[in-house]
Amino acid sequence: MTQLIGSYSMGLILSLLAVGVLISFRILAFRDLTVEGSITLGGAVAAAMLVSGWNPWLATFVAFLAGGCAGAVTGVLATKLKINGLLAGILVMTALYSVNLRVMGRSNLPLMNEKSLMTFAQHLGTAEQPTASGGTWTIGRWVIRTADLRVIGFLTVVIGSVGAVMYAFFQTNLGLAMRATGDNEQMICALGVEVGWMQTFGLAISNGLVALSGALLVQYQGYADVQMGMGMVVWGMASVIIGESLVGSRQIGMLLIGSVMGSVLFRLLVANALRQGLNPNDLKLATALFVLIALVGPSAVDAASKKFRTAVKT
Amino acid sequence: MLDIEQIRKTFHPGTPNEVRALQGVDLKIDEGSFVIVIGTNGSGKSTLLNAVAGSFFVDTGRLKLNGQDITHWPEHRRARFIGRVFQNPFTGTAPSMTIAENLALAARRGRMRGLGWALNPSIRHELYERVRGMGLGLENRLNNAIGSLSGGQRQSLTLLMAGLIKPDLLLLDEHTAALDPKSADQVIRLTEEVIRRDKLTTMMVTHSMQQAAHLGDRLIMMVRGRIIYDFQGAEKRRLTPEDLLDRFDEVRRSDLLDETAASMLQRQYV
Ligand SMILES: Nc1ncnc2c1ncn2[C@@H]1O[C@H](COP(=O)(O)OP(=O)(O)OP(=O)(O)O)[C@@H](O)[C@H]1O
Ligand SMILES: [Mg+2]
């Protein structure tokens, strides 16, 4: 049960990564690989600030801003310096590796007894003193820590608020223009929007959310690691793809909800696969294969069925 | 109103693919005039419109709109004054967004886009009225994705979008060429209506001699990156589709002559 709750919480945290990937890959149609560096950047900034005794809310917010800057740099490289978008992302991601090491001061930075948003969440609404085990509930043979439930509640509120803000943003004049930028660049340019600026701004928001995800992740698992971004783009894509098939709609609100649901579901699927004996070393291979199948599967099935039909006819 | 002074544009200069698309085009367009642009394939009609809209910068020459020099303005900056409809119905609209959202985007053409609701009730109401005014019955489908509409419906909406904020200049590049005859007629009727109602200064490229003869108050014909005919006033009014076809034949014949002359020279000298 604890494991299930853990997976659920992780899924919620990583849903911000999924929303970030949704914005860059789907809404802006920009293949942004900065994500791998910016999730670590968010984690590194938050961890470094927490260790130095900063307020966890402030640390998390600064992590968001740092991610936004990383995204903006990729945007400027791609739109002002006209570097290929994929390459711009790779350049920034690579540079961020060193930046993250600088920020953390070493490759792995544990949080010991620092106050974090998670310690804050664990004691929300109780006068209970922080203890190692805390209170528990027993339902049948399941024992649930109330602190874990509070964390889930807290994360749900945070993710819900971020999702609501993003949804509202995409209904504004600015947000509409951003969606149109990915949908039809030529049209939105003819309507007076500077496409390069809009993409840069979108990438900043996207990577800000990804870094926010990293900051929460670090506070949840209790350490930052310079390797933690590895494979996160594909992870985010998997969540987005699952989400799209779950909601089956292209509406922006549904896509946002789908990404969150997709992230949680994917995390649960992975946890289950690991329990069934999937070697953790094979996890990234499995994730990549999953995304590959989801990307080429539908068209391959189409082609195969067409071939089959013509074969039957002749 | 629009002053085009000696503009030239060469694509891929200095390569085997070099194309001299505009070779010194001069054109002054008065406020409120409706200019038809015709010409053979590849004669530079689209290039002329794109140069005015700012899709690229011209190599030499000047462009002035309302007395302002816009030669070095990027496309998105010129958009404040220019409305466009393209040949391809897919170019003018954002397919995965709704009709209302597309219109709301056009309602802020060239303006600041801030954090105000794009579709607040008053804008929604105004858009509803505008769409109803087109008489296509699309006003009850405002929340449908525009990608689900036919080409003719999309072109009609693009036209509405281009005129939603009154543009100083309307550019239409064969905007009915991709449509079936019935939709094309409908879009043309709408075009006339919009232009007449708002007295829009317009440049319209067309391949239809019917449209060229019957619409507009001025007609220019382009050949190989130059304007070779310019009919205005009574002269334009007298033009029939047959006259225009004759002119095309003339051009074709002189082109042929050029080619035979060139090959003769080649035989003599090479
Ligand atoms: N972006 C571009 N890059 C390279 N060549 C171009 C470009 N745009 C136009 N051309 C070339 O310039 C010439 C003029 O093209 P343009 O599209 O203006 O012709 P047009 O008069 O609109 O013809 P059509 O009637 O076929 O639309 C053509 O030879 C075309 O291949
Ligand atoms: Mg053309």
Side-chain angles (χ1 to χ4, degrees), chain B:
Chain B
M1 166 53 218
L2 177 68
D3 283 358
I4 300 173
E5 295 171 12
Q6 275 300 313
I7 58 169
R8 287 170 188 276
K9 179 69 190 179
T10 303
F11 292 109
H12 314 298
T15 70
N17 297 328
E18 181 176 282
V19 182
R20 295 193 191 155
L22 295 177
Q23 310 193 40
V25 173
D26 262 313
L27 187 66
K28 267 194 192 2
I29 297 179
D30 297 327
E31 180 138 17
S33 83
F34 180 178
V35 183
I36 303 290
V37 184
I38 59 172
T40 46
N41 287 110
S43 58
K45 306 179 296 292
S46 299
T47 308
L48 177 62
L49 261 60
N50 288 337
V52 172
S55 308
F56 49 76
F57 293 126
V58 293
D59 300 334
T60 60
R62 293 196 158 285
L63 289 159
K64 281 191 203 146
L65 189 65
N66 287 328
Q68 283 190 81
D69 189 336
I70 60 165
T71 315
H72 302 291
W73 287 21
E75 182 175 5
H76 62 89
R77 193 170 166 205
R78 299 185 199 185
R80 189 178 172 96
F81 305 105
I82 297 178
R84 292 185 85 178
V85 183
F86 305 88
Q87 174 171 354
N88 186 340
F90 293 99
T91 312
T93 48
S96 72
M97 299 174 75
T98 66
I99 296 180
E101 285 170 340
N102 271 278
L103 290 166
L105 285 165
R108 299 204 67 77
R109 175 170 51 78
R111 311 287 149 103
M112 263 290 295
R113 291 170 200 265
L115 293 178
W117 295 127
L119 282 167
N120 63 41
S122 80
I123 290 183
R124 201 175 262 281
H125 179 74
E126 195 195 321
L127 294 178
Y128 177 89
E129 290 300 329
R130 291 284 212 125
V131 175
R132 204 170 58 139
M134 287 201 308
L136 294 178
L138 289 174
E139 62 274 14
N140 298 317
R141 295 172 65 182
L142 287 183
N143 291 325
N144 291 16
I146 234 171
S148 66
L149 302 183
S150 72
Q153 291 170 323
R154 286 173 81 156
Q155 264 335 44
S156 303
L157 282 170
T158 311
L159 193 60
L160 179 69
M161 285 164 64
L164 209 52
I165 300 180
K166 189 184 168 205
D168 290 358
L169 181 64
L170 179 64
L171 300 178
L172 309 171
D173 189 355
E174 294 191 47
H175 66 308
T176 61
L179 307 179
D180 61 274
K182 206 168 137 240
S183 321
D185 280 350
Q186 199 170 44
V187 170
I188 280 297
R189 239 178 292 129
L190 198 65
T191 307
E192 281 188 272
E193 206 177 289
V194 169
I195 292 173
R196 196 173 314 130
R197 190 188 57 215
D198 291 338
K199 300 191 180 58
L200 297 179
T201 313
T202 306
M203 288 175 81
M204 171 173 148
V205 177
T206 181
H207 268 183
S208 152
M209 293 306 117
Q210 300 293 333
Q211 291 175 11
H214 297 133
L215 298 176
D217 49 29
R218 184 172 174 187
L219 181 142
I220 61 174
M221 183 163 160
M222 294 188 69
V223 171
R224 275 181 269 146
R226 290 200 183 85
I227 295 176
I228 58 159
Y229 292 120
D230 184 350
F231 302 107
Q232 307 191 40
E235 212 181 357
K236 160 73 178 79
R237 254 170 277 136
R238 272 200 306 274
L239 284 176
T240 62
E242 290 71 35
D243 293 337
L244 294 172
L245 285 173
D246 287 348
R247 305 279 174 174
F248 271 108
D249 272 347
E250 237 169 76
V251 169
R252 230 163 269 143
R253 239 174 289 132
S254 71
D255 258 10
L256 229 59
L257 271 181
D258 280 2
E259 264 164 42
T260 31
S263 58
M264 254 171 60
L265 285 173
Q266 219 167 16
R267 250 177 284 133
Q268 277 177 5
Y269 292 98
V270 183

Side-chain angles (χ1 to χ4, degrees), chain A residues 25-26 237-238 241 244 288-300:
Chain A
F25 278 70
R26 283 288 192 259
M237 280 173 70
I241 291 171
E244 278 172 346
L289 282 177
F290 172 81
V291 171
L292 180 68
I293 291 168
L295 290 181
V296 301
S299 52

